[in-house]
C-alpha cells in the first residue's frame, strides 16, 4: 500500500482499507490498481515459498471502491 502511494487506514477482521489522496482521482485509481497488482505478486511469491507447507495455495480477493 505504501509503496503504491497510499496508506493503510483500517484493519477490519480480514480486510485492510487503503486511503489515497483523492484530490487527483485519476492518480488515486492508478495507485489502487498498482497496489492490487503488487498484492497479487506478493501472494504468489508467498505461495511459492510456502508450497511445501500448504495443502492449497492462499487465495484472496480485492475490491476497489472510489467513494465521492
Amino acid at each position: 500500500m505504501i509503496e503504491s502511494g497510499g496508506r493503510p487506514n483500517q484493519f477490519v477482521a480480514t480486510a485492510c482499507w487503503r486511503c489515497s489522496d483523492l484530490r487527483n482521482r485519476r492518480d488515486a485509481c492508478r495507485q489502487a490498481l498498482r497496489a492490487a497488482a503488487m498484492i497479487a505478486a506478493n501472494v504468489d511469491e508467498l505461495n511459492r515459498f510456502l508450497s511445501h507447507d500448504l495443502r492449497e495455495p492462499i487465495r484472496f480477493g480485492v475490491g476497489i471502491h472510489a467513494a465521492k
Side-chain angles (χ1 to χ4, degrees), residues 27-68:
D27 286 346
C29 290
R30 287 183 176 141
Q31 289 173 352
L33 292 171
R34 182 171 179 239
M38 292 171 71
I39 290 168
N42 287 331
V43 171
D44 285 345
E45 182 180 341
L46 182 62
N47 279 328
R48 284 190 297 277
F49 180 76
L50 296 174
S51 64
H52 293 90
D53 297 320
L54 299 175
R55 284 185 264 168
E56 296 181 16
I58 296 169
R59 298 182 309 165
F60 70 100
V62 173
I64 298 174
H65 182 268
K68 196 167 189 179

